[in-house]
């Protein structure tokens, strides 16, 4: 069998293949084709066909290649499990594909680590080995189409192309009108990931049950001791969020079945105004009265959770009037004199400012340019998260408080200098702004002026209303492909705003990587590649540049691929 034949996307993986010779475009096509068929089989209720298609996908070369690629390119690629192994070389990745076999597979225990939570407590994480992560990624390729097809329409957490911004926009849609419900049940599940019933998972999750049983019963290692797992799915596993979603899906339909129809009360036809919004294990349920939520909605929710081995957290589950407001996903949702305003919550702002202060105070002797490089991504990321709500005043307040922290940092470094000297040393005028925390980089513009590294302000981020996703849309269904391409394009253009050259380059390529033919998105990342190298006389003009995915960029250099400038379909 030739290497070309082995690299055929739909074939089973039996022989080793050079990692950088894989045809990724063919792999993506094959997996998407099988996922689309799984979606169709799920909708038609053809369970036998569904299982057959899942078997084909989990045994295909394409599925295994993409699973290995996922775990070797994500943020945890350098974090080993209990075996201490990472797949950092092309040879290791090639061998890894051969090891992904159902027959004889036995997962190793998870490595237990702890990360701090916002409330000061520690959250346990279970880190699987690289092989177990890849196996989970492989079976997730076959499970996700089912989970997406059967998911609650107003569930937004841990789902492709959905986000917290969608959940908050759905809250606005449910609560903003005059006739909207006034009471809100804030639900929080106690230790959701740790307490999910294994029996429920084994009886209801449409995946290979033997593989699932092995994952659930693998146990974890802590202080060189093996501990069994009798319940829950580990936080840290690639497939765990999807399993949790499958467990919690169905509550929306149950509530609609009970409260979706109008009732006759005292001869009047009355709507119960029960709406449901969920992000991961946090959810809200609205209702026309406090009594309705307490006496009718709460028992249904508790019974739903009990069947799955879960309970509601007494401290965090409460019923609130919309005029008092409630915090959800870092935002405060509240009506002021009948007008709904969603703002960054006080807790979220306080946590962010404490993080900034910690970074500044922990780097008292750091070079100013390096401090700016540490702070800018933090400020940009926090502002981007809140840019879709009423945040302008909050942004200004946060910028002011960060300025005070930086002034103290600068003054502490020079206790014998006056305020005028400190201002001239650390703060500059940039455009129409004064008191800008900035430092000269040592480089100069053509006109001779110094190039400054400037601290980003939260107020630099424009407020833009988020466009709510169509609730019935799923990215794994071919019928919605055009819709999601348009959404991704809008998101990408917003992320490249102010970088006209890069936007034009991306649009000239029809938004796709010329190597693998997949869309270049904010999530996928990109490299700008010179078709003719600069050392060989290549210029920085758009005719000599092309955007490619990071892994595809590696393929170009390793295999010496020749990249041809793509032509847009409209120009053909």
């Amino acid at each position: 069998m030739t290497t070309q034949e082995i690299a055929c996307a739909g074939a089973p993986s039996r022989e080793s293949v050079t990692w950088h010779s894989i045809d990724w475009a063919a792999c993506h096509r094959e997996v998407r084709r099988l996922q689309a068929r799984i979606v169709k089989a799920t909708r038609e209720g053809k369970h036998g066909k569904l299982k057959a298609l899942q078997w084909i996908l989990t045994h295909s070369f394409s599925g295994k290649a993409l699973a290995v690629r996922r775990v070797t390119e994500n943020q945890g690629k350098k974090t080993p499990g209990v075996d201490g192994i990472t797949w950092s070389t092309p040879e290791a990745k090639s061998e890894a594909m051969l090891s992904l076999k159902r027959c004889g597979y036995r997962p190793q225990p998870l490595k237990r680590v702890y990360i701090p939570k916002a409330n000061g407590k520690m959250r346990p994480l279970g880190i699987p080995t690289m092989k177990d992560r890849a196996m989970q990624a492989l079976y997730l390729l076959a499970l996700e189409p089912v989970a997406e097809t059967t998911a609650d329409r107003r569930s937004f957490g841990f789902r492709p192309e959905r986000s917290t911004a969608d959940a908050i926009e759905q809250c606005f849609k449910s609560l903003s009108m005059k006739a909207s419900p006034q009471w809100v049940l804030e639900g929080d599940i106690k230790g959701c990931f740790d307490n999910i019933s294994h029996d429920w998972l084994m009886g209801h999750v449409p995946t290979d049950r033997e593989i699932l049983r092995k994952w659930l019963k693998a146990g974890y290692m802590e202080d060189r001791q093996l501990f069994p797992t009798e319940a829950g799915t580990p936080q840290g596993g690639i497939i765990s969020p999807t399993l949790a979603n499958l467990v919690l899906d169905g509550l929306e339909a149950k509530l609609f079945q009970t409260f979706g129809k109008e009732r006759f009360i005292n001869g009047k036809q009355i709507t119960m105004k029960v709406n449901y919004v969920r992000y991961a294990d946090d959810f809200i349920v609205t209702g026309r009265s406090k009594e309705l939520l307490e006496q009718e909605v709460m028992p249904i929710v508790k019974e739903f959770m009990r069947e799955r081995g879960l309970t509601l957290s007494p401290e965090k589950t409460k019923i609130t009037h919309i005029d008092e407001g409630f915090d959800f996903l870092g935002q405060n949702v509240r009506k002021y004199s009948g007008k709904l305003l969603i703002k960054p919550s006080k807790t979220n702002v306080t946590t962010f400012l404490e993080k900034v202060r910690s970074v500044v105070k922990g780097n008292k002797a750091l070079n100013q340019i390096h401090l700016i490089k540490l702070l800018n991504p933090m400020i940009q990321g926090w502002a981007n998260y809140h840019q879709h709500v009423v945040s302008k005043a909050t942004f200004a307040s946060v910028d002011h408080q960060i300025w005070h922290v930086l002034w103290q940092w600068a003054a502490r470094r020079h206790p014998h200098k006056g305020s005028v000297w400190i201002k001239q040393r650390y703060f500059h005028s940039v455009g129409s702004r004064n008191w800008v925390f900035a430092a000269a980089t040592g480089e100069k513009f053509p006109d001779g002026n110094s190039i400054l590294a400037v601290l980003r302000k939260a107020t630099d981020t424009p407020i833009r209303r988020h466009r709510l996703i169509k609730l019935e849309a799923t990215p794994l269904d071919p019928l919605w492909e055009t819709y999601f391409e348009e959404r991704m394009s809008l998101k990408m253009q917003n992320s490249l705003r102010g970088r006209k050259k890069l936007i034009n380059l991306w649009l000239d390529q029809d938004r796709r990587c010329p190597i693998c033919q997949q869309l270049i998105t904010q999530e996928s990342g990109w490299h700008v590649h010179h078709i003719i190298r600069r050392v060989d006389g290549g210029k920085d003009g758009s005719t000599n540049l092309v955007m490619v995915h990071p892994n595809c960029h590696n393929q170009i250099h390793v295999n010496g691929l020749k990249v041809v400038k793509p032509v847009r379909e409209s120009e053909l």
Side-chain angles (χ1 to χ4, degrees):
M1 184 179 288
T2 66
T3 302
Q4 187 176 6
E5 290 171 333
I6 296 169
C8 176
S13 178
R14 298 190 182 94
E15 297 185 29
S16 181
V17 60
T18 306
W19 179 255
H20 287 302
S21 70
I22 294 173
D23 185 348
W24 292 109
C27 287
H28 281 290
R29 281 196 305 270
E30 179 64 16
V31 168
R32 287 302 295 268
R33 184 182 67 83
L34 288 169
Q35 287 180 324
R37 293 180 66 191
I38 290 172
V39 168
K40 188 172 183 288
T42 304
R43 284 197 172 140
E44 294 173 352
K46 297 180 178 178
H47 302 295
K49 186 175 183 180
L50 167 62
K51 290 179 69 174
L53 290 168
Q54 286 183 318
W55 190 96
I56 293 171
L57 179 48
T58 54
H59 288 73
S60 69
F61 175 90
S62 302
K64 293 179 181 181
L66 291 180
V68 172
R69 180 174 175 175
R70 173 172 179 173
V71 301
T72 55
E73 292 184 7
N74 62 14
Q75 290 184 344
K77 62 185 178 182
K78 295 182 181 179
T79 305
V82 292
D83 59 359
I85 295 174
T86 58
W87 299 334
S88 55
T89 65
E91 293 76 21
K93 295 173 188 177
S94 299
E95 290 300 317
M97 287 190 294
L98 295 179
S99 70
L100 302 185
K101 297 178 180 178
R102 182 185 186 280
C103 183
Y105 171 65
R106 185 176 181 181
Q108 292 185 264
L110 306 166
K111 181 170 74 173
R112 176 59 63 92
V113 297
Y114 293 89
I115 60 171
K117 295 170 67 174
N119 60 7
K121 297 181 180 179
M122 302 298 287
R123 183 191 304 277
L125 291 185
I127 309 298
T129 63
M130 290 295 287
K131 180 177 178 179
D132 293 334
R133 272 178 258 174
M135 283 292 283
Q136 289 188 18
L138 176 60
Y139 278 82
L140 179 59
L141 289 173
L143 178 61
E144 195 169 51
V146 185
E148 278 297 295
T149 306
T150 59
D152 286 344
R153 296 170 75 238
R154 292 169 181 81
S155 162
F156 300 99
F158 302 125
R159 293 182 61 190
E161 305 305 326
R162 296 190 176 213
S163 65
T164 53
D166 289 305
I168 293 297
E169 187 63 24
Q170 183 62 46
C171 288
F172 182 85
K173 187 176 179 181
S174 300
L175 295 164
S176 60
M177 305 296 288
K178 270 189 177 182
S180 295
Q182 302 294 303
W183 292 92
V184 179
L185 166 64
E186 304 171 59
D188 185 272
I189 302 166
K190 188 174 182 179
C192 178
F193 282 84
D194 298 329
N195 296 305
I196 295 172
S197 166
H198 284 182
D199 290 339
W200 193 95
L201 287 169
M202 293 297 297
H204 296 84
V205 175
T207 190
D208 189 312
R209 294 207 171 109
E210 181 59 24
I211 296 291
L212 178 60
R213 184 191 63 80
K214 289 179 179 180
W215 284 333
L216 296 176
K217 301 297 183 183
Y220 64 91
M221 295 290 293
E222 186 174 8
D223 296 329
R224 298 185 180 181
Q225 285 186 294
L226 177 64
F227 295 88
T229 46
E230 301 300 331
T233 176
Q235 296 186 62
I238 284 177
I239 205 169
S240 294
T242 301
L243 293 178
N245 271 339
L246 284 165
V247 169
L248 298 174
D249 283 335
L251 180 55
E252 181 180 13
K254 203 163 191 175
L255 291 171
F256 181 79
Q257 184 180 4
T258 308
F259 304 104
K261 295 179 181 179
E262 294 181 336
R263 294 183 182 179
F264 284 93
I265 300 177
N266 296 327
K268 294 182 179 179
Q269 206 169 12
I270 296 177
T271 304
M272 295 296 100
K273 300 182 180 179
V274 173
N275 300 300
Y276 173 78
V277 183
R278 178 170 69 84
Y279 187 92
D281 58 344
D282 293 324
F283 65 90
I284 66 163
V285 183
T286 68
R288 68 173 301 111
S289 68
K290 187 176 183 180
E291 292 72 28
L292 175 71
L293 293 175
E294 282 179 340
Q295 299 170 17
E296 297 189 54
V297 173
M298 188 78 85
I300 291 174
V301 174
K302 286 183 176 179
E303 175 61 21
F304 179 88
M305 298 299 171
R306 189 190 62 77
E307 291 172 359
R308 292 152 174 77
L310 302 172
T311 57
L312 296 178
S313 170
E315 311 88 46
K316 297 181 181 179
T317 301
K318 52 189 176 181
I319 297 173
T320 311
H321 194 276
I322 192 62
D323 289 346
E324 296 177 21
F326 63 93
D327 290 349
F328 186 56
L329 304 176
Q331 318 280 13
N332 180 260
V333 184
R334 182 180 174 185
K335 271 190 174 178
Y336 298 82
S337 301
K339 183 176 182 179
L340 186 75
L341 296 180
I342 303 178
K343 305 177 181 180
S345 70
K346 290 181 180 178
T347 303
N348 184 274
V349 172
T350 301
T351 302
F352 172 67
L353 287 173
E354 286 176 354
K355 185 178 178 182
V356 170
R357 291 188 185 102
S358 176
V359 169
V360 174
K361 291 179 180 179
N363 292 279
K364 295 176 182 178
L366 192 65
N367 177 282
Q368 186 184 7
I369 292 177
H370 289 110
L371 182 62
I372 290 171
K373 288 181 179 178
L374 279 177
L375 293 177
N376 274 351
M378 293 170 55
I379 297 169
Q380 179 71 77
W382 180 82
N384 284 348
Y385 183 83
H386 294 289
Q387 69 175 330
H388 307 297
V389 298
V390 185
S391 304
K392 192 170 183 179
T394 306
F395 284 175
S397 174
V398 164
D399 285 337
H400 182 66
Q401 294 188 60
I402 291 175
W403 181 90
H404 275 288
V405 173
L406 294 173
W407 176 262
Q408 292 171 1
W409 175 85
R412 190 186 298 113
R413 291 163 69 94
H414 306 282
H416 303 298
K417 297 290 186 180
S419 58
V420 174
W421 186 93
I422 293 172
K423 177 186 182 300
Q424 292 174 344
R425 170 71 174 78
Y426 292 101
F427 297 87
H428 300 266
S429 295
V430 178
S432 60
R433 288 181 178 176
N434 293 319
W435 290 91
V436 177
F437 191 73
T441 61
E443 299 179 8
K444 292 184 181 293
F445 288 109
D447 60 6
N449 291 326
S450 295
I451 297 176
L452 297 176
V454 179
L455 181 76
R456 182 168 186 88
K457 288 179 174 287
T459 48
D460 293 336
T461 303
I463 305 299
R464 291 194 186 92
R465 183 76 176 268
H466 179 74
R467 187 173 67 179
L468 178 64
I469 190 172
K470 291 184 178 179
L471 299 180
E472 63 275 16
T474 169
L476 300 178
D477 188 337
L479 296 174
W480 291 98
E481 186 169 356
T482 303
Y483 170 75
F484 280 105
E485 285 191 2
E486 289 173 356
R487 281 183 68 88
M488 278 190 266
S489 295
L490 183 62
K491 189 176 180 181
M492 186 72 168
Q493 288 182 57
N494 286 335
S495 72
L496 295 176
R497 194 173 296 274
R499 303 162 75 179
K500 187 175 180 180
K501 184 177 180 179
L502 210 52
I503 291 178
N504 290 337
L505 193 63
W506 178 67
L507 291 174
D508 285 342
Q509 299 176 198
D510 202 22
R511 306 166 299 172
R512 295 182 181 273
C513 170
I515 303 300
C516 68
Q517 300 303 315
Q518 296 301 300
L519 288 169
I520 295 175
T521 66
Q522 190 178 10
E523 288 75 20
S524 72
W526 65 85
H527 279 297
V528 177
H529 173 72
H530 287 74
I531 297 173
I532 300 174
R533 299 185 305 173
R534 279 180 289 187
V535 295
D536 296 330
K539 305 297 182 183
D540 287 333
S542 59
T543 56
N544 190 48
L545 299 176
V546 65
M547 289 175 74
V548 294
H549 290 127
N551 188 71
C552 297
H553 194 234
N554 292 335
Q555 279 191 307
I556 292 171
H557 289 288
V558 171
N559 297 331
L561 300 179
K562 185 177 180 181
V563 183
V564 179
K565 186 75 175 177
V567 180
R568 296 179 71 176
E569 291 182 7
S570 59
E571 297 174 358
L572 295 176

